Amino acid sequence: SKQHIAISNDKMGLKESLKLLDGQRSVSKEFRVRTVYGALLSVTTLALIAYLVYIEFNFNFKTEVVEKVHVNATTPAGLEIEFDVTLHKVPCAILAVDANDPTNQRQSLHLDQKHHVWKHRLDRRGRLVGPKSKVELGSSLLDEQILLESIQNATQDESEITLEDIHLRESFCGSCYGAGDEDECCNTCDDVKRAYQRKGWSLKNEVDSIEQCKNQLTAKDEEGEGCNVHAKIALSTGGGELHLAPSRGLDHGSQTGTIMDVFLRTFEAFNVSHTIQKMRFGPEFPGSIHQLDNAKRHIEDSYGMYQYYFQIVPTTYKYLDGRTIQTYQFSVTEHMRHVSPGSGRGLPGVFFFYEVSALHVIIEESRRGWISFFTSVAAIVGGVVTVLGMVDQALYSKMSSRKHTGLMR
């Protein structure tokens, strides 16, 4: 029994020692004083804590974007370009779409199942003549019947369009007759001519034997019309230029003629006023800026060469879930240049010069997360309770001193 008493005394001594370390000393209810202003301060404390916790939650779980820039040690594999440009006064029959490298040598547009160049005739009122492709519309329409109706509404062509016609047009990969690169598709007469020109081959005497060139319209058939060009192409990242320019070499009606005809073509004037509905380098990403969307340029000079100079910056966008997008951003400057007739420096047109920067931008999404949130909540609760507790003590002391003074009087 003496041993039990000694053990209990040791426990009591340990408890008393621990009580000396108690920093959260409780006050007996009989010594607590409840006041109206104390209740108001308590309500204010709860409301202020709730508000600050809400602000802190939004702050810690808001997705922020951090940008980093460094010099790119490697060159990107290829430059994906999508553009939608309308030349209001140039017929499709004579509008050429070509690309050159920095040495002024033709470069391939890499046309295949994913990359295409579509040219659409526009009547005098600016309406489409013929349907647009399903791929051009983004394949974003869930109901193919709605897709069919949208195509028919966008065209003035009264001929019936079926879903079979649309699917056949998407899956078709035309032959380039030996002039194309591996897996290259030549779905139009222009594509075949472009491939032949890149090889340096002559197509003059073979046009009629090319399947894509049969029943091709001439500039006379499209007199007074405009042309919309929508393209998805791949170019070299080594720089170069892409141009949309009138070229009588594309016109069936200009394959032969007198010396006077050639002279008149040399001094022919063109109105290259245009609208850029869309200009993209690589896939889109959150927060991307497209400076040239819906840009309209009215050119009064009939011998005008309108030039765009693009500085393209490779960009990697990283999502919170680990997904990444390899794309590009760009800055652009514009210049209007007069081309003197007969100077041999080209015909009027719209030219896009581009250069890929050595810099690389990484855009990364980030959040502060739960640890930062709980740390902030602890600081908020402790700070608010402490400060308003001090206010409560100050008010209570002041009220008590007033009462004591009144009793003394």
Side-chain angles (χ1 to χ4, degrees):
S1 61
K2 291 182 179 180
Q3 189 176 6
H4 287 297
I5 293 172
I7 293 174
S8 63
N9 288 335
D10 290 339
K11 289 183 177 180
M12 292 295 293
L14 180 61
K15 289 182 179 180
E16 293 298 328
S17 300
L18 289 175
K19 287 181 180 180
L20 296 175
L21 300 176
D22 184 11
Q24 308 293 329
R25 299 175 184 177
S26 301
V27 180
S28 178
K29 291 184 179 180
E30 60 189 54
F31 295 106
R32 292 180 184 176
V33 179
R34 301 183 184 276
T35 60
V36 174
Y37 59 82
L40 293 176
L41 285 175
S42 297
V43 173
T44 303
T45 299
L46 294 175
L48 188 57
I49 289 175
Y51 173 74
L52 293 177
V53 168
Y54 172 75
I55 296 298
E56 200 64 30
F57 181 86
N58 291 335
F59 177 72
N60 283 277
F61 291 96
K62 176 184 177 182
T63 301
E64 295 185 342
V65 175
V66 179
E67 296 188 10
K68 302 176 183 177
V69 181
H70 64 88
V71 177
N72 200 1
T74 59
T75 303
L79 181 62
E80 297 278 340
I81 302 177
E82 180 181 1
F83 63 88
D84 191 336
V85 181
T86 298
L87 279 80
H88 305 282
K89 300 296 181 181
V90 180
C92 288
I94 61 171
L95 184 61
V97 182
D98 281 306
N100 294 336
D101 61 20
T103 64
N104 208 31
Q105 299 296 316
R106 290 184 182 273
Q107 64 168 307
S108 172
L109 303 182
H110 298 93
L111 302 181
D112 51 29
Q113 294 285 4
K114 294 182 179 180
H115 303 97
H116 310 270
V117 175
W118 297 278
K119 292 201 302 187
H120 304 289
R121 296 166 56 196
L122 301 176
D123 62 16
R124 296 176 184 271
R125 296 179 297 171
R127 284 178 54 85
L128 286 173
V129 180
K132 275 201 171 187
S133 166
K134 177 184 177 183
V135 174
E136 289 182 89
L137 297 176
S139 300
S140 59
L141 298 176
L142 299 178
D143 190 342
E144 290 194 329
Q145 190 60 38
I146 298 177
L147 167 67
L148 185 59
E149 292 175 1
S150 66
I151 292 177
Q152 291 173 337
N153 292 335
T155 177
Q156 68 171 17
D157 190 354
E158 296 181 357
S159 59
E160 185 177 356
I161 305 167
T162 65
L163 290 173
E164 287 75 12
D165 295 333
I166 296 172
H167 293 308
L168 180 62
R169 188 178 298 139
E170 306 310 332
S171 60
F172 178 68
C173 182
S175 171
C176 296
Y177 299 88
D181 298 330
E182 185 178 358
D183 296 328
E184 183 174 358
C185 298
C186 294
N187 293 343
T188 67
C189 186
D190 287 357
D191 295 342
V192 177
K193 291 178 180 179
R194 192 182 299 108
Y196 266 67
Q197 290 173 355
R198 194 171 63 249
K199 289 285 188 179
W201 298 354
S202 174
L203 189 64
K204 184 175 181 181
N205 299 323
E206 301 180 26
V207 174
D208 294 335
S209 63
I210 302 298
E211 187 67 28
Q212 292 92 321
C213 295
K214 293 181 179 179
N215 304 318
Q216 188 83 350
L217 298 177
T218 66
K220 290 183 178 179
D221 299 322
E222 299 179 0
E223 187 174 356
E225 293 184 356
C227 189
N228 170 260
V229 181
H230 182 200
K232 296 179 181 179
I233 59 177
L235 297 180
S236 168
T237 54
E241 56 96 359
L242 170 74
H243 59 262
L244 286 69
S247 173
R248 287 296 180 181
L250 294 179
D251 186 13
H252 281 337
S254 64
Q255 297 297 324
T256 60
T258 64
I259 295 178
M260 182 57 69
D261 292 333
V262 176
F263 179 81
L264 291 175
R265 291 174 205 150
T266 302
F267 289 87
E268 189 171 6
F270 293 97
N271 184 344
V272 293
S273 296
H274 59 278
T275 300
I276 300 178
Q277 283 89 359
K278 187 177 187 180
M279 178 63 70
R280 301 286 186 274
F281 294 91
E284 295 192 49
F285 62 93
S288 56
I289 300 174
H290 311 295
Q291 301 94 311
L292 292 178
D293 280 13
N294 301 313
K296 297 181 180 180
R297 301 293 182 264
H298 179 69
I299 315 300
E300 295 183 356
D301 188 350
S302 297
Y303 299 98
M305 177 186 290
Y306 204 87
Q307 300 172 328
Y308 296 89
Y309 293 88
F310 292 93
Q311 186 70 31
I312 299 174
V313 182
T315 301
T316 300
Y317 191 95
K318 297 182 178 181
Y319 289 93
L320 281 172
D321 58 8
R323 291 179 297 127
T324 61
I325 297 177
Q326 302 294 334
T327 184
Y328 299 88
Q329 300 181 82
F330 68 89
S331 62
V332 60
T333 56
E334 306 175 30
H335 177 66
M336 176 64 192
R337 174 183 169 189
H338 176 79
V339 180
S340 299
S343 64
R345 303 186 66 180
L347 289 172
V350 182
F351 290 73
F352 303 97
F353 297 87
Y354 71 93
E355 179 182 4
V356 178
S357 173
L359 299 178
H360 185 207
V361 176
I362 298 177
I363 305 174
E364 189 171 3
E365 294 182 347
S366 64
R367 288 177 184 169
R368 290 174 176 80
W370 288 103
I371 295 177
S372 176
F373 172 69
F374 285 128
T375 303
S376 300
V377 168
I380 288 170
V381 173
V384 172
V385 170
T386 300
V387 171
L388 292 184
M390 293 171 61
V391 172
D392 181 51
Q393 289 291 334
L395 290 175
Y396 178 74
S397 299
K398 191 172 182 180
M399 296 296 292
S400 297
S401 63
R402 285 184 179 180
K403 288 181 180 180
H404 182 72
T405 305
L407 291 174
M408 293 293 292
R409 290 178 181 178

